[in-house]
Amino acid sequence: MIHLYYDSRTGNVQRFINKVTQITGWSAHKIDDNLAIEQPGHLITYTTRMGSVPDNTVAFLLNQADKIFSVTSSGNRNWGQNFGIAADKISNEYDVPLAMKFELSGTMEDINQFIDIIKNQYNDSKRGSKKLDIA
């Protein structure tokens, strides 16, 4: 079973996760103060304040980063070079491979690409390539 750990403030990441889990049946866990990971998995978050990692995500990573296989971020292309940059920052700071970035709640193409990346390129506990970004 693949586990997804996500942070969503405006609902964009939540909508993305809902579509992914409907298609795949994967297990999704919303990040909160009491979430403790029992199974390693993949992190999906958002970019806030024109290029920052959300505080909830940072707090989660402080104790759980070693159990995260990859990171994906939602963003807004209007932010230019800061589009989805939370994923870049997490990848660099916590040595977690970057899976992909998507805009807002993602298109069906984004969802299918995410599923393909997680299933076929990075679905085990070994952190191989530093970067997985094909988006």
Side-chain angles (χ1 to χ4, degrees), residues 8 32 36 57 60 63 67 80 83 99 114 118 120 126:
S8 184
D32 65 29
T57 300
F60 171 78
N63 296 315
K67 297 175 188 149
F83 167 68
F114 175 79
I118 300 306
N120 298 314
K126 295 182 178 78

Side-chain angles (χ1 to χ4, degrees), residues 93-114:
E93 186 167 340
Y94 297 96
D95 196 31
V96 175
L98 172 61
M100 67 175 282
K101 301 175 189 180
F102 61 92
E103 187 168 27
L104 303 174
S105 60
T107 64
M108 279 310 296
E109 183 178 333
D110 295 328
I111 290 160
N112 289 329
Q113 182 179 22
F114 175 79

Side-chain angles (χ1 to χ4, degrees), residues 61-79:
L61 286 166
L62 289 175
N63 296 315
Q64 308 296 338
D66 62 328
K67 297 175 188 149
I68 298 300
F69 296 154
S70 72
V71 61
T72 295
S73 181
S74 172
N76 188 320
R77 292 195 191 279
N78 290 341
W79 294 357

Side-chain angles (χ1 to χ4, degrees), residues 3-131:
H3 293 268
L4 306 174
Y5 300 96
Y6 71 96
D7 198 358
S8 184
R9 184 184 66 195
T10 64
N12 284 327
V13 174
Q14 178 73 59
R15 285 187 289 280
F16 181 85
I17 290 294
N18 288 347
K19 293 173 197 169
V20 169
T21 58
Q22 285 174 354
I23 293 168
T24 62
W26 295 344
S27 183
H29 314 273
K30 188 165 184 1
I31 293 172
D32 65 29
D33 293 339
N34 300 316
L35 179 63
I37 293 182
E38 293 182 20
Q39 298 293 323
H42 304 271
L43 174 63
I44 302 89
T45 192
Y46 60 96
T47 301
T48 191
R49 296 184 300 272
M50 294 293 291
S52 296
V53 178
D55 293 339
N56 249 8
T57 300
V58 171
F60 171 78
L61 286 166
L62 289 175
N63 296 315
Q64 308 296 338
D66 62 328
K67 297 175 188 149
I68 298 300
F69 296 154
S70 72
V71 61
T72 295
S73 181
S74 172
N76 188 320
R77 292 195 191 279
N78 290 341
W79 294 357
Q81 66 183 11
N82 286 341
F83 167 68
I85 201 165
D88 296 299
K89 290 180 177 182
I90 291 167
S91 178
N92 290 332
E93 186 167 340
Y94 297 96
D95 196 31
V96 175
L98 172 61
M100 67 175 282
K101 301 175 189 180
F102 61 92
E103 187 168 27
L104 303 174
S105 60
T107 64
M108 279 310 296
E109 183 178 333
D110 295 328
I111 290 160
N112 289 329
Q113 182 179 22
F114 175 79
I115 292 167
D116 180 63
I117 288 169
I118 300 306
K119 278 174 60 176
N120 298 314
Q121 296 181 34
Y122 210 79
N123 62 355
D124 64 20
S125 63
K126 295 182 178 78
R127 288 187 182 172
S129 170
K130 171 85 167 130
K131 301 290 183 198

